[in-house]
């Protein structure tokens, strides 16, 4: 949940509003639940290493956050497998 909120925060705080994932997916005027659902969907695709490619990082803020998520996902998967 918190990582999904962080993903939405990257779009909200971006200087290039028209290029964020929220705008590209047409979620600017969507219900908060729909925006949250899409955020968590992205987090789960990154954490499970599926990466369908339907939602991607484009702005610098999104790219940095996606890199952080990939590293965190690798660490979490490593810990789970090692246990």
């Amino acid at each position: 949940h918190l990582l999904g909120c962080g993903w939405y925060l990257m779009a909200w705080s971006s200087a290039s509003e028209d290029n964020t994932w929220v705008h590209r997916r047409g979620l600017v005027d969507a219900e908060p639940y729909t925006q949250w659902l899409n955020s968590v969907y992205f987090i789960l695709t990154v954490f499970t290493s599926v990466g369908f490619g339907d939602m991607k990082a484009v702005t610098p803020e999104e790219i940095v956050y996606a890199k952080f998520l990939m590293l965190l996902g690798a660490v979490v998967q490593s810990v789970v497998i090692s246990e």
Side-chain angles (χ1 to χ4, degrees), residues 56-75:
K56 60 184 175 184
V58 174
T59 66
E61 297 90 355
E62 292 173 352
I63 292 170
V64 169
Y65 194 73
K67 286 181 181 181
F68 165 74
L69 290 174
M70 290 175 203
L71 290 172
L72 183 62
V75 169

Side-chain angles (χ1 to χ4, degrees), residues 3-81:
L3 294 173
C5 291
W7 180 240
Y8 180 78
L9 181 64
M10 292 302 106
W12 181 78
S13 65
S14 178
S16 55
E17 295 175 8
D18 293 342
N19 204 22
T20 64
W21 70 268
V22 174
H23 186 63
R24 289 190 312 270
R25 289 183 72 89
L27 298 171
V28 175
D29 296 323
E31 298 274 330
Y33 174 74
T34 305
Q35 294 172 338
W36 174 83
L37 192 63
N38 279 267
S39 296
V40 172
Y41 167 76
F42 176 77
I43 300 303
L44 290 176
T45 59
V46 170
F47 260 49
T48 58
S49 299
V50 174
F52 293 121
D54 57 343
M55 188 183 304
K56 60 184 175 184
V58 174
T59 66
E61 297 90 355
E62 292 173 352
I63 292 170
V64 169
Y65 194 73
K67 286 181 181 181
F68 165 74
L69 290 174
M70 290 175 203
L71 290 172
L72 183 62
V75 169
V76 168
Q77 286 184 3
S78 299
V79 169
V80 168
I81 290 173

